[in-house]
């Protein structure tokens, strides 16, 4: 059974590009385009990994990550934050709220796939 990855990203073209990269590797992909639906899907659809943008309509990625870490069923969900916010303070905040990895856009395809593989234990 293939692993399910949730992408929470409000930019449709970037979301499609990441979706394409990940699906080509054999993963199942589900997507959300805003913070609240992303949070609900992370809690209800039981993804194996979450790729999370920081700047989202509604809840931002930092808040989503923080909430998921405080909720026992999602406390250990692997989370990769993927954002245009590349300042050291943003990276520090992402890791502080519980992201396993913090990558900046534009993301290197090989690096993203390496982090996914590592977090999913393949």
């Amino acid at each position: 059974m293939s692993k399910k990855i949730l992408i929470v990203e409000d930019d449709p073209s970037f979301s499609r590009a990441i979706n394409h990269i990940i699906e080509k590797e054999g993963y199942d992909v589900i997507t959300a385009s805003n913070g609240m639906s992303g949070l609900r899907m992370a809690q209800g659809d039981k993804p194996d990994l979450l790729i999370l943008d920081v700047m989202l309509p509604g809840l931002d990625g930092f808040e989503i990550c923080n909430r998921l870490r405080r909720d026992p069923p999602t406390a250990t969900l692997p989370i990769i934050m993927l954002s245009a916010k590349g300042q050291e303070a943003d990276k520090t905040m992402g890791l502080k709220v519980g992201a396993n990895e913090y990558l900046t856009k534009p993301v290197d395809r090989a690096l993203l796939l390496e982090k996914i593989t590592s977090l999913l234990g393949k």
Side-chain angles (χ1 to χ4, degrees):
M1 185 156 91
S2 64
K3 300 279 188 176
K4 185 184 338 179
I5 297 177
L6 169 59
I7 301 171
V8 183
E9 169 62 59
D10 62 327
D11 177 339
S13 60
F14 188 78
S15 181
R16 276 192 304 276
I18 295 297
N19 189 328
H20 180 72
I21 289 168
I22 294 169
E23 280 186 336
K24 264 180 70 173
E25 296 299 314
Y27 297 107
D28 289 330
V29 178
I30 54 175
T31 59
S33 60
N34 66 63
M36 277 311 296
S37 63
L39 179 62
R40 281 194 299 272
M41 288 176 77
Q43 293 168 325
D45 291 338
K46 309 281 187 263
D48 296 295
L49 184 135
L50 171 60
I51 296 177
L52 181 61
D53 189 12
V54 172
M55 295 181 288
L56 293 164
L59 295 175
D60 71 19
F62 296 134
E63 180 61 25
I64 292 168
C65 192
N66 192 26
R67 289 186 188 191
L68 292 172
R69 289 296 180 240
R70 290 192 324 243
D71 187 18
T74 57
T76 60
L77 173 67
I79 298 173
I80 298 174
M81 283 195 155
L82 190 53
S83 178
K85 295 181 69 133
Q87 299 296 319
E88 202 54 45
D90 299 314
K91 291 180 183 179
T92 300
M93 175 60 85
L95 297 173
K96 182 179 175 189
V97 296
N100 299 82
E101 298 285 347
Y102 190 105
L103 305 176
T104 54
K105 295 176 187 174
V107 68
D108 178 73
R109 178 187 177 282
L111 177 63
L112 177 62
L113 292 174
E114 174 190 312
K115 298 299 183 185
I116 289 169
T117 302
S118 169
L119 286 169
L120 290 176
K122 278 192 164 181

